[in-house]
Amino acid sequence: MFTIEHGFEATSITLIDDTVGALLEDVCIKSYEDRIVIEQWDATRNRMHGITLSMNQAHDLAAALDLPEGIYQRAEP
C-alpha cells in the first residue's frame, strides 16, 4: 500500500509494508525539482536514515527495475 501527497516544494510517496509477518517501517520518498530523497525510520537506533539521489540517478534506477543483469548506460532524451 502507498500514499501520494503533493506539496509546494515536493511530492511525497509513502510506501507502507502491509505484508503478513514482521512489518518494516514505512519508506518515504520525496521528489524535489532537482533530487529524490528516500527516508526510513530506524527504531533500533531511534533515528531517520536517508539517501539522496540526483534526478539522473533516479532515472537510472527506474530504468534498471525492468532490465536483466548487466551494465547499461541510459541514452539521454
Side-chain angles (χ1 to χ4, degrees):
M1 181 167 60
F2 61 91
T3 65
I4 300 172
E5 299 175 53
H6 298 291
F8 178 71
E9 291 184 351
T11 295
S12 295
I13 301 169
T14 302
L15 307 176
I16 302 163
D17 185 6
D18 58 354
T19 58
V20 176
L23 300 178
L24 297 176
E25 294 290 335
D26 297 349
V27 173
C28 184
I29 303 164
K30 296 178 182 175
S31 176
Y32 295 90
E33 185 175 317
D34 61 342
R35 68 196 180 282
I36 303 286
V37 177
I38 303 169
E39 298 177 321
Q40 185 175 38
W41 179 253
D42 183 345
T44 59
R45 293 188 174 93
N46 199 32
R47 70 184 201 106
M48 187 71 77
H49 289 282
I51 296 173
T52 301
L53 303 174
S54 69
M55 294 310 286
N56 193 48
Q57 289 172 312
H59 291 299
D60 286 349
L61 175 60
L65 292 175
D66 292 325
L67 293 171
E69 184 177 324
I71 299 172
Y72 299 90
Q73 183 171 358
R74 189 173 46 87
E76 294 299 318

